[in-house]
Amino acid sequence: MIRTGLAALAACGLASAAWAQDARFHYDGEMTIQPEAGTLSLDWTITAFEDDLDSVTFVLNTALGIAEIGGPGVASVDVEEMAGFDGALQAYTIHLIPSEGGADRAIEMAYAGPLFPDPPDMAINTLDAHKIELTVDSFWMPFDTRFESLITAELDIAIAGDWAGVTMQRIERTDDGFRIEQDQAALDLAFTLMADYSSVGADGYVIYDTRAARAEADLTPLIEALDFCTGFLNDWAGSGGPLPMASITVNDRDEGGYSRGTLIALTDISETSPESLTQFICHELSHYWSHGNAMTIENWLNESFADQMANVGLRARFGEGAYEARLTRYRDQLDGRDLTPVWTPEITERPSFFVMYRQGPLALDALEKEIGEAAFADFMHRYMAQTVRTTPQMLDLLEDAAGPEARDWFIARLAE
């Protein structure tokens, strides 16, 4: 799974309704897009739910100029540029009036301009006459610099022409464009609008191919991977499923794949092997059952569990040889690296890529070998049936499935 910039932080996967209670803000917006000109305009009312929040700093793409900010919850605003992952960002520190009696406070923001006056370096985001793909990476919407604030949202989009739209949760056509509703809280609001595409659908998904050479492309390997992974994961999840309807986009780029809600964006998969494609799709779909806070030490739950579910799916489809070959590559990639433990009670920093995507899955493989395939499957069924947000919660489920000795063994393994 290859991600760039903040997409690496914000890849929350298919979200659960249990997240809605954690929203810090609600975004209510009206957006106008002019694809030919590459411009957008936005008016937001952002409601802050935190009673004790004195101020918040939002960042926006500097190409959008200086936003107008006001509203009944705003006392004052400080504006300055700050360094971002890929250049400068405009930072707005909004000082809020005190909350009276726990009342929510509203912030109004308005801005407009060309999002990409120069061709963007990040392959993920585009705004042109063929496709509009927006994620947090382009900072098209105000983003809290705490980098952990979950939001709900409603957005009305005005856009002329014949477009199709996909998003993290719900999108529907309106007379002048689209309406997006996000009532399951997530880190950002991501969507793709397409004027130039082909599509194919099945019971659990729709594929939107936006590649220029899609007429010559063969989607059969992707369809087979999706059919297998949806069936395999739903069977494994039992009462924790089934997966919701997913929207899959295939894009003209070599990097920048991600999953957000029911939206999964793939790179150009023309040269991807069936084994790698199966593991990738199963990983992204597995995020439906991964709920650890993506901004904290618990993100290892999101990525390690999703990846090992995908590896087990790879084994189920292609056999033990394909499974062991992948884990051998993981071990080779870790050889010689000085890494932190996957998890200990004392850890305070979010794990690195290699810890989450390599060391964690290998720890779960070792757990399966330690407790046996049947007990491991029981543990995973329990994990997928519940909203597990923290490692101690996960360890409780392991103890229920395999006993206190297994819990102690796995704590020691994660600490290595």
Side-chain angles (χ1 to χ4, degrees), residues 147-148 292-300 302 348-351 356 389:
F147 300 111
E148 60 181 15
N293 190 328
M295 296 298 102
T296 71
I297 60 171
E298 304 298 0
N299 195 42
W300 87 270
N302 291 330
T348 58
E349 293 187 3
R350 188 173 179 270
M356 293 188 294
R389 300 292 301 276

Side-chain angles (χ1 to χ4, degrees), residues 12-15 167-169 184 186 244 246 259-264 284:
C12 290
L14 297 171
T167 190
M168 302 164 66
Q169 294 175 32
Q184 300 169 14
S259 66
R260 298 284 217 290
T262 54
L263 169 61
I264 298 175
E284 297 300 352

Side-chain angles (χ1 to χ4, degrees), residues 58-70:
F58 290 121
V59 286
L60 280 172
N61 191 319
T62 54
L64 297 169
I66 301 297
E68 297 178 5
I69 300 176

Side-chain angles (χ1 to χ4, degrees), residues 240-309:
L243 286 160
M245 190 76 174
S247 299
I248 318 295
T249 65
V250 187
N251 301 280
D252 263 327
R253 55 178 181 253
D254 295 327
E255 62 179 12
Y258 60 88
S259 66
R260 298 284 217 290
T262 54
L263 169 61
I264 298 175
L266 302 178
T267 57
D268 182 358
I269 56 174
S270 302
E271 304 301 322
T272 306
S273 71
E275 292 84 357
S276 294
L277 192 57
T278 296
Q279 203 279 343
F280 184 99
I281 293 297
C282 284
H283 178 119
E284 297 300 352
L285 292 176
S286 293
H287 274 295
Y288 180 62
W289 295 279
S290 292
H291 307 292
N293 190 328
M295 296 298 102
T296 71
I297 60 171
E298 304 298 0
N299 195 42
W300 87 270
L301 293 171
N302 291 330
E303 300 302 345
S304 297
F305 273 80
D307 202 69
Q308 191 56 15
M309 286 185 220

Side-chain angles (χ1 to χ4, degrees), residues 190-239:
F191 66 89
T192 297
L193 307 182
M194 298 158 285
D196 186 15
Y197 69 97
S198 59
S199 64
V200 58
D203 287 343
Y205 59 84
V206 179
I207 301 169
Y208 298 87
D209 195 341
T210 69
R211 294 173 294 179
R214 63 183 177 274
E216 295 80 36
D218 181 11
L219 288 177
T220 302
L222 175 58
I223 292 170
E224 291 176 346
L226 281 162
D227 288 343
F228 171 81
C229 289
T230 52
F232 170 78
L233 291 170
N234 283 336
D235 286 345
W236 246 50
S239 62

